[in-house]
Amino acid sequence: MNRQGFDTSTAAPVAGTSPLAVPIAFDGLAGYFHPAGGGTAILLLSPWGYEELCSRKSYRMLGEKLAAAGYPCLRFDYPATANSHGDSADLDDKSAWRNSVKRALAELRRLANPDRVVVIGQGIGAGLAATLAEGGEVAGQVLLAPVAQGRAYLRELAAWTAMTQPTFLVKASDGPEGGLMAGGFVLSAATADEIKSINLFKAQLPSGLKTLLVERSGHPGDQKLAGHFTETGLAVETLPFEGYADYVSDPTLSVPPVQTLERIVAWMKASFPADQLEPAPGAECTAVSHPLPGVVEEALRFGPDEMFFGVLATPLGKETKTAVVILNSGYDHSIGWARMSVGFARSLAEYGCAVLRMDLAGVGESSYWPNQPAQVLYSDKQLDDVRAAVGFVKERTGADTVILFGRCSGAYLALLAASADERVNAAFLVNSRRLVWDPDEDVDKAIREPIQTLSSYGRKAVDLNTLKRVVSGDINLVSALKKVTRAAKLKADRKLAPVLGNLSRHHRLFKILTSRLKLLKQRGVPLCLVYSDNDRGLLELHNWFGPDRRGLKTYPNIRVEALPDADHNLTPVAARQQMFALLTDFVAHVASSKSSK
């Protein structure tokens, strides 16, 4: 049994290309250091917002691959982004991000003591790389899908926000005055001004700067930038960004561009051969910081072979008896959609709770279990992840009350774990797409299906518009018939479940769900189910408990709450604020009930 209370006596070593990154904190910035012994160190500059959410795992993989090849690497989060300090809407320094890049370079030099540094940046990170390149502070640069002109980038973000508005209920103008909101992520007016000043076509780059430009297929801006570099005498090489579209399309569906990552490592080996030196003695560093006056925050690793990454927030100088564990939603890493988990955790710590937000195995900064399948969602193996987190947080904080929080797939896991682990005292579930999972269902196929909404419940299988599209060839007839047939089968199976018994899929799954809910009822574990207006998860309540939800009356420990004017991800700020009010009320009720027993 290790110090986190998790049995590791039979655990095999966690597979990986190199040791996992060491969490560090410096000047309010969150960093992730990949130690290695080479004389060439690498500073990795991330993209921002939705693109960063998609890239976190791949950036971690790139750092591991480079460190395994002999290049010490540092990744970090810009001010008021991801795990760093600050609220993005309040950032009022027009040089904050550029200054953070310089500060990160100094930290990398302190940690690795290299002979030279190469900067690798994606998106806005590629635009910020010029901050170092212009000053002659780096020997080379790798630019992935670069933001060459900041003004054009902001226009693209505004256009993307307008295009995605039916899914994410926000407008670009919903950000702070003079700033911008994209997918719930916020740029302050000062940060927007800083981004506007980025222009790689006007950057004064040293002629001897070795440059690799990783180009998006058919992207005129990338091709124009490559031509500009050549015209100005820069030694530039290019390679195609294989798999870019699948990489940045969606955080949960993101496919790491492994071939591109390996080609970047190969370019580094050819351009800056690794020295194969012994790793330098570890420089003194810390991962403890104070994001708010009354809050202590520590980025850490825990579990078998420290495979899990998490950030633990606790109230400063106060004993706490209540801990909240925040689980991933899909493959969003531990900051949560639109960085909401960071705000929730810090505010709950101010409120008096210990809060661990973590990356489950195979998500974000956490590695896989040995021989674990690549698809981790809706797997019972994730119960081991939660058990490790519960054991860790109880031992570290001394909390006697543990509450699980999750949204979407994280909500499903919270319900599953609460029923399986008697150390869990309550669970707060937001927009749970499923309350029970069919083990015969294909996870990859299911998460790629369009999310059905409550407004479509009970509609005719084929309407006139769909029929016209089939006739015109816009919809494949065979595929359409399969979907109609599947929907009809499910409806028939549900109606005939009382007669068919165990021959019915609906009956079998209902038995699993009710057995879990009965266990929670017997243990007196409160559950709060929160749903946005018209969310797909409401169909689960219809399917299992009836359109009037009469079946829920059997479980007095369950309450259901509604969030008006909210989408599935809780993108609008007002929706997140309302949800947090429900969460704090729930936590207070659970803590009060526990203390009175």
Side-chain angles (χ1 to χ4, degrees):
M1 191 76 69
N2 71 355
R3 66 186 295 272
Q4 285 84 25
F6 190 89
D7 188 0
T8 61
S9 57
T10 59
V14 176
T17 53
S18 73
L20 292 165
V22 178
I24 62 173
F26 55 99
D27 292 352
L29 303 174
Y32 319 88
F33 180 57
H34 299 265
T40 301
I42 299 175
L43 180 64
L44 290 123
L45 306 182
S46 67
W48 173 80
Y50 185 87
E51 188 178 358
E52 191 280 330
L53 210 60
C54 294
S55 72
R56 173 66 64 150
K57 179 178 177 179
S58 296
Y59 246 52
R60 186 256 295 172
M61 291 170 60
L62 178 57
E64 290 172 359
K65 288 176 181 291
L66 288 165
Y71 302 96
C73 301
L74 176 63
R75 297 178 285 119
F76 79 102
D77 301 326
Y78 307 121
T81 72
N83 294 310
S84 289
H85 292 188
D87 187 326
S88 53
D90 297 332
L91 194 60
D92 59 1
D93 182 354
K94 294 184 179 182
S95 301
W97 285 16
R98 282 192 172 95
N99 288 339
S100 72
V101 168
K102 295 176 182 178
R103 179 62 187 90
L105 175 63
E107 184 69 9
L108 175 59
R109 292 190 187 281
R110 188 185 74 85
L111 291 168
N113 191 28
D115 299 321
R116 68 195 66 81
V117 174
V118 173
V119 61
I120 297 178
Q122 178 183 322
I124 195 66
L128 290 168
T131 303
L132 305 178
E134 283 188 303
E137 298 183 83
V138 295
Q141 61 177 358
V142 180
L143 310 179
L144 293 82
V147 170
Q149 295 175 296
R151 290 183 181 275
Y153 172 66
L154 294 179
R155 289 195 295 269
E156 290 171 2
L157 285 176
W160 177 85
T161 302
M163 289 171 58
T164 58
Q165 195 172 357
T167 301
F168 312 135
L169 298 178
V170 295
K171 302 185 295 294
S173 58
D174 288 341
E177 185 176 354
L180 180 142
M181 176 178 283
F185 291 91
V186 170
L187 293 174
S188 69
T191 307
D193 284 344
E194 183 173 15
I195 290 173
K196 288 175 186 176
S197 69
I198 293 174
N199 191 331
L200 295 185
F201 291 97
K202 295 182 178 180
Q204 302 297 313
L205 302 178
S207 59
L209 181 70
K210 292 184 178 180
T211 298
L212 176 65
L213 178 59
V214 186
E215 299 179 313
R216 291 159 285 191
S217 176
H219 193 281
D222 291 353
Q223 296 168 3
K224 181 180 178 181
L225 184 62
H228 170 75
F229 283 160
T230 301
E231 290 172 5
T232 54
L234 202 65
V236 61
E237 298 177 52
T238 62
L239 66 82
F241 202 141
E242 299 286 350
Y244 177 76
D246 291 334
Y247 168 43
V248 297
S249 61
D250 182 280
T252 294
L253 303 177
S254 177
V255 179
V258 175
Q259 186 175 12
T260 298
L261 302 185
E262 291 176 346
R263 287 180 174 178
I264 292 171
V265 176
W267 183 85
M268 281 296 307
K269 289 180 178 179
S271 303
F272 302 93
D275 303 302
Q276 300 300 326
L277 303 174
E278 288 294 322
E284 184 178 350
C285 59
T286 181
V288 178
S289 62
H290 300 270
L292 297 172
V295 175
V296 180
E297 196 169 72
E298 181 180 4
L300 45 79
R301 307 206 72 93
F302 66 95
D305 295 323
E306 298 189 326
M307 64 180 286
F308 296 113
F309 170 84
V311 179
L312 179 65
T314 53
L316 179 63
K318 296 179 182 178
E319 183 182 20
T320 179
K321 290 297 183 181
T322 302
V324 179
V325 178
I326 299 179
L327 307 176
N328 299 108
S329 303
Y331 284 89
D332 297 351
H333 67 95
S334 60
I335 68 169
W337 178 260
R339 204 180 175 227
M340 71 173 72
S341 296
V342 178
F344 291 166
R346 292 172 181 173
S347 295
L348 283 171
E350 279 190 304
Y351 182 73
C353 298
V355 187
L356 175 69
R357 47 188 178 84
M358 67 173 294
D359 284 334
L360 301 162
V363 178
E365 298 288 340
S366 294
S367 67
Y368 286 96
W369 293 94
N371 303 315
Q372 185 176 13
Q375 178 55 267
V376 300
L377 300 184
Y378 296 102
S379 165
D380 286 355
K381 182 62 180 174
Q382 288 190 309
L383 287 172
D384 290 336
D385 305 1
V386 182
R387 290 187 183 106
V390 172
F392 166 74
V393 79
K394 285 181 71 70
E395 182 172 338
R396 172 63 73 88
T397 68
D400 57 16
T401 301
V402 177
I403 301 170
L404 300 182
F405 171 92
R407 182 184 63 80
C408 195
S409 65
Y412 165 80
L413 179 59
L415 175 60
L416 188 67
S419 65
D421 191 336
E422 293 189 356
R423 298 172 299 173
V424 176
N425 304 100
F428 192 91
L429 284 57
V430 180
N431 288 337
S432 182
R433 189 174 177 183
R434 299 291 176 86
L435 294 177
V436 61
W437 184 265
D438 184 350
D440 295 328
E441 189 169 7
D442 185 294
V443 177
D444 291 301
K445 183 179 179 180
I447 63 178
R448 282 171 169 78
E449 288 179 351
I451 296 179
Q452 186 182 8
T453 62
L454 186 63
S455 62
S456 62
Y457 184 77
R459 284 182 181 172
K460 294 180 180 179
V462 180
D463 58 24
L464 182 59
N465 182 56
T466 301
L467 189 59
K468 288 180 179 178
R469 293 180 65 197
V470 168
V471 173
S472 67
D474 289 341
I475 295 179
N476 181 276
L477 179 58
V478 175
S479 298
L481 288 174
K482 283 183 178 180
K483 289 181 180 180
V484 171
T485 303
R486 180 174 178 272
K489 284 182 178 180
L490 290 175
K491 186 174 182 180
D493 179 78
R494 186 166 58 249
K495 287 189 174 183
L496 294 175
V499 177
L500 297 175
N502 284 333
L503 296 176
S504 161
R505 169 187 175 275
H506 183 86
H507 178 82
R508 294 192 303 271
L509 295 179
F510 187 63
K511 283 177 61 177
I512 294 172
L513 175 59
T514 53
S515 68
R516 292 170 182 164
L517 296 182
K518 287 175 182 177
L519 278 175
L520 294 170
K521 177 183 174 182
Q522 290 168 5
R523 286 168 40 209
V525 176
L527 296 180
C528 185
L529 309 181
V530 181
Y531 292 100
S532 301
D533 282 348
N534 203 34
D535 191 77
R536 161 65 176 83
L538 289 168
L539 289 174
E540 287 286 279
L541 298 185
H542 279 74
N543 290 341
W544 302 119
F545 305 109
D548 57 1
R549 305 178 193 172
R550 183 177 301 175
L552 280 176
K553 294 180 180 179
T554 306
Y555 308 102
N557 58 317
I558 299 177
R559 74 189 234 205
V560 180
E561 298 283 354
L563 283 178
D565 304 318
D567 55 35
H568 181 72
N569 289 17
L570 306 186
T571 310
V573 173
R576 282 177 258 160
Q577 291 172 338
Q578 185 178 357
M579 196 280 291
F580 185 72
L582 292 172
L583 176 60
T584 52
D585 176 70
F586 180 74
V587 169
H589 172 73
V590 172
S592 175
S593 300
K594 182 76 173 179
S595 62
S596 65
K597 291 182 179 179

